[in-house]
Amino acid sequence: MFKGINAIEFSKRFQTNKDCYEYLVSIKWANGYACSKCGCTESHKGRMFYYRRCKKCGYDESVTANTVFHGVKIPMLKAFHMVFRITSKKKGMSTIELGTEVGVQQKTAWLFKRKVQAVLNRDKNEKLNGDVHIDETLIGGFSSAVGRSTETKEALMVAVEILPDGRTGNLSLEHIESFKADELKFAIKKTVSNDAAIKTDAYHSYKKLAKEMSNITIQYSQKGSAMEELHKQIMQFKNWLRGTHHHCSSEYLFAYTAEYEYRFNRRNRRKGLFNDVLQRMIHQIPHPYNYLKTLCVYNT
Ligand SMILES: [Zn+2]
């Protein structure tokens, strides 16, 4: 298993397409082979070293079949380089930089990056717990609309765990259609554990929710100061979006919130990300192109 964020180590480990295919083989059949057509667990050699031929039905399966790598046209070494760059850089990389660094067209880098982002979905048991501060924010749009209007902007509910020592734990960025109470309730139930102690501001939707959800405490306070850490995290997310991905249009915002959340919640485990992303790409089925175009990983 490659655990590293050092580019020289990476280049030593992966020098040819063959190195990459062998690595994928070690992931896909790590727990033994099982034919994806008939389930048989015995195989012969396939037509290439990264194929397995089923002993029972004869299906000759490539390591990339039924995985996110299916249909990826670029050489596997370049694909690996892209995954490495996306996962080893602290803030990630725009598709323009990615294309230049790896030597593929930006369009190619863009599509590949979508495939990577599509596997960065939240684990089902990954709900926030403990002290959780919640607020909502608007992203993008250039309207003069003020306040909580979602007309030209995308709305997010941001939740942050506050650890006993005051530091930030995990965060979640959940897309919402509006700031109505039932919409926020759905987002809270989806991302925050029922056992969490939730703190929000005095916005009327939260006041309404606090009447039915006993774990919500309303913070009546002087602006901002009450939930400083939360607001700092919202600013950091917006800076990241603007700084690293200034070409991200709002229709792809979902992909970027997923990437940010994935990255942020694993910020102390950066060395394992390359392998984790490859695992996800090998164990998830490919997403249709139209899905990637309007990627909404939060609703899968
Ligand atoms: Zn079979």
Side-chain angles (χ1 to χ4, degrees):
M1 182 168 118
F2 181 76
K3 275 198 166 191
I5 49 173
N6 178 304
I8 294 175
E9 282 171 20
F10 176 84
S11 299
K12 270 189 197 158
R13 177 73 174 74
F14 300 102
Q15 300 186 6
T16 61
N17 290 324
K18 187 167 184 280
D19 295 336
C20 303
Y21 278 107
E22 278 171 352
Y23 195 79
L24 294 182
V25 166
S26 75
I27 294 177
K28 182 166 183 172
W29 292 303
N31 301 318
Y33 162 87
C35 173
S36 63
K37 295 268 185 216
C38 75
C40 171
T41 55
E42 286 180 67
S43 66
H44 301 290
K45 273 185 179 173
R47 81 185 83 148
M48 303 272 276
F49 70 92
Y50 57 91
Y51 277 70
R52 295 274 186 283
R53 190 189 303 275
C54 175
K55 268 193 181 174
K56 199 170 156 195
C57 76
Y59 175 55
D60 196 11
E61 182 174 335
S62 159
V63 72
T64 60
N66 307 309
T67 79
V68 174
F69 285 103
H70 178 78
V72 170
K73 299 276 188 288
I74 48 172
M76 198 52 85
L77 186 59
K78 289 198 176 197
F80 265 51
H81 268 278
M82 283 201 265
V83 173
F84 178 71
R85 278 166 172 73
I86 292 167
T87 53
S88 64
K89 287 251 178 169
K90 203 172 170 191
K91 294 186 171 180
M93 212 179 232
S94 75
T95 56
I96 293 176
E97 289 174 289
L98 205 54
T100 312
E101 286 218 0
V102 175
V104 296
Q105 290 193 340
Q106 196 232 330
K107 209 178 148 195
T108 308
W110 180 90
L111 183 59
F112 189 78
K113 173 105 188 251
R114 289 287 163 282
K115 288 175 193 277
V116 173
Q117 286 176 323
V119 300
L120 303 183
N121 38 357
R122 196 183 290 150
D123 296 334
K124 286 201 167 57
N125 54 4
E126 220 178 308
K127 288 188 175 181
L128 304 188
N129 214 337
D131 285 325
V132 176
H133 292 184
I134 292 180
D135 201 358
E136 63 304 305
T137 189
L138 291 167
I139 304 282
F142 297 95
S143 89
S144 54
V146 286
R148 287 166 155 113
S149 157
T150 58
E151 249 171 58
T152 61
K153 299 186 178 191
E154 299 293 331
L156 293 178
M157 186 192 85
V158 184
V160 169
E161 285 174 348
I162 304 296
L163 303 177
D165 62 6
R167 288 180 306 127
T168 304
N170 286 350
L171 68 72
S172 74
L173 302 164
E174 184 70 19
H175 179 252
I176 45 179
E177 292 294 329
S178 76
F179 298 123
K180 287 181 184 148
D182 55 350
E183 188 81 25
L184 288 164
K185 183 181 174 183
F186 187 81
I188 291 172
K189 291 278 183 196
K190 196 170 164 192
T191 61
V192 181
S193 158
N194 288 335
D195 303 326
I198 298 170
K199 199 185 270 183
T200 70
D201 63 20
Y203 183 54
H204 62 81
S205 290
Y206 294 123
K207 282 197 203 159
K208 199 172 162 191
L209 281 183
K211 285 179 191 153
E212 49 173 307
M213 293 171 73
S214 60
N215 59 340
I216 293 183
T217 307
I218 306 288
Q219 181 85 32
Y220 293 92
S221 71
Q222 55 290 21
K223 260 190 169 175
S225 62
M227 296 197 282
E228 223 171 285
E229 191 57 33
L230 172 63
H231 294 127
K232 200 179 96 191
Q233 294 306 334
I234 293 175
M235 282 311 295
Q236 278 185 10
F237 167 66
K238 289 185 173 180
N239 287 340
W240 173 81
L241 204 55
R242 234 171 309 178
T244 316
H245 305 286
H246 31 95
H247 297 282
C248 158
S249 63
S250 66
E251 64 184 304
Y252 304 121
L253 180 67
F254 309 105
Y256 287 90
T257 54
E259 182 185 343
Y260 188 83
E261 191 181 300
Y262 175 86
R263 230 175 243 297
F264 187 87
N265 293 347
R266 287 161 186 78
R267 63 198 180 282
N268 301 323
R269 289 178 274 157
R270 271 175 63 217
K271 289 188 171 176
L273 296 193
F274 172 77
N275 194 68
D276 182 61
V277 168
L278 286 183
Q279 293 259 5
R280 289 163 177 255
M281 292 179 82
I282 281 292
H283 294 304
Q284 293 188 30
I285 57 166
H287 300 87
Y289 180 68
N290 283 336
Y291 170 86
L292 294 171
K293 261 170 64 185
T294 53
L295 185 62
C296 181
V297 286
Y298 275 63
N299 292 336
T300 60

